Amino acid sequence: MLQSPPSEAVLLRMYFELAQLGANCSGEKREWSYNPENREELLALGAEMSRYDPRLLGILVEYFSKHWREILPQRLRAYYPQMAAPQSLAVIAEFVKDAARESEVQYLMEYLQKGLEKVPYQLYFKALLPPAGPLSRRSAEESLRQYKKWGFLSREAPTVDVFQKKTVEAWDADARLNVLRRLFQSKEELSVGEYLKALSGSLSRQQAIKDLAVLARLKKGRKGRGARWVLRKRP
């Protein structure tokens, strides 16, 4: 399937081909060595390339969300053996499941994920971050649940609607607490609103308060929405 890490020219060609299918993107008809026979082969190839380009991942998530009726799932699954990690499609499906409201979309995405196993933990995006740098560490410690479920690590939230700038993102409990620890490293006290903002508003206020209570306590004299939280002292 994917022959080598995609160059900028190859990614532009992928954007172009996806745009021909109705994806919300634009590209250029550059030279490349691929000749996908159908929509599903192009999508499988795009999923592999998405591990080198966060923008492409967002394009694919939005495409699957809006054009799911046009995708032949059995044909798409037929390309799994040719892919280095078909779990990249499982990640795309995970984001689509969280963004979609229709039950039929859920069923289709679950079918695309069926039979795939979690890969050994690794960064989703290749050659994007220095392996031992602080951003890689944050990706590992604060990875979104949609990646983590399939063994990947990343904090990149794909856009499911470029016009509304809508993203889909969710953290598990461990990742949320790691976000809190990082916030307390730079601030002595936090409000619930500041914590929610760090999580892009993806959490309920009630859950945010529960998370804060694990690591912090309410500052004396501050109540209600103006309440401030301070880190608990270690015994």
Side-chain angles (χ1 to χ4, degrees):
M1 183 69 66
L2 184 64
Q3 300 164 1
S4 60
S7 64
E8 181 179 352
V10 168
L11 288 172
L12 283 171
R13 177 62 182 269
M14 175 57 72
Y15 299 161
F16 172 84
E17 295 294 337
L18 289 171
Q20 305 310 298
L21 299 181
N24 191 13
C25 61
S26 60
E28 298 177 14
K29 195 173 183 179
R30 300 286 189 91
E31 291 291 330
W32 70 349
S33 57
Y34 301 99
N35 186 31
E37 296 182 355
N38 50 57
R39 179 192 313 268
E40 289 70 28
E41 185 175 2
L42 181 69
L43 293 175
L45 178 61
E48 292 218 290
M49 288 187 185
S50 75
R51 297 197 62 190
Y52 296 87
D53 182 21
R55 182 191 172 201
L56 178 55
L57 177 65
I59 291 169
L60 288 169
V61 169
E62 184 178 16
Y63 180 83
F64 274 74
S65 297
K66 296 181 177 180
H67 297 268
W68 59 273
R69 291 183 180 86
E70 302 163 20
I71 298 169
L72 300 179
Q74 288 179 302
R75 180 185 286 175
L76 182 53
R77 287 180 61 92
Y79 291 105
Y80 285 9
Q82 301 177 36
M83 300 174 68
Q87 289 84 354
S88 57
L89 274 167
V91 169
I92 292 169
E94 200 67 34
F95 280 109
V96 174
K97 283 165 58 178
D98 287 347
R101 297 180 180 178
E102 297 180 59
S103 57
E104 292 300 322
V105 182
Q106 302 282 332
Y107 301 150
L108 175 60
M109 296 303 120
E110 289 171 1
Y111 175 67
L112 292 179
Q113 295 173 328
K114 200 74 173 178
L116 294 175
E117 297 182 358
K118 180 190 290 189
V119 301
Y121 278 118
Q122 58 191 272
L123 293 176
Y124 184 83
F125 294 105
K126 298 183 176 183
L128 190 65
L129 301 173
L135 292 179
S136 291
R137 185 166 60 252
R138 279 184 63 180
S139 289
E141 294 175 350
E142 303 174 14
S143 179
L144 297 180
R145 174 183 54 76
Q146 292 92 343
Y147 295 103
K148 208 170 180 181
K149 180 176 179 179
W150 297 99
F152 296 112
L153 302 169
S154 178
R155 298 175 67 252
E156 292 284 343
T159 301
V160 295
D161 191 316
V162 295
F163 296 111
Q164 297 182 10
K165 297 183 179 179
K166 179 184 176 183
T167 60
V168 176
E169 47 200 309
W171 289 261
D172 62 20
D174 289 339
R176 295 198 308 270
L177 292 181
N178 285 333
V179 171
L180 266 179
R181 292 186 181 98
R182 174 173 56 81
L183 292 174
F184 274 119
Q185 286 177 355
S186 59
K187 295 184 178 181
E188 292 185 358
E189 55 186 58
L190 287 174
S191 68
V192 174
E194 288 170 328
Y195 176 43
L196 288 173
K197 184 178 180 180
L199 296 181
S200 304
S202 61
L203 202 64
S204 70
R205 189 175 183 86
Q206 183 178 15
Q207 184 60 58
I209 291 173
K210 288 181 179 179
D211 287 354
L212 280 160
V214 174
L215 298 178
R217 60 174 176 79
L218 277 170
K219 188 176 182 180
K220 292 182 180 180
R222 303 291 293 272
K223 295 182 179 181
R225 290 189 175 269
R228 308 291 293 181
W229 294 75
V230 294
L231 199 62
R232 294 180 187 275
K233 292 182 179 180
R234 293 182 179 180

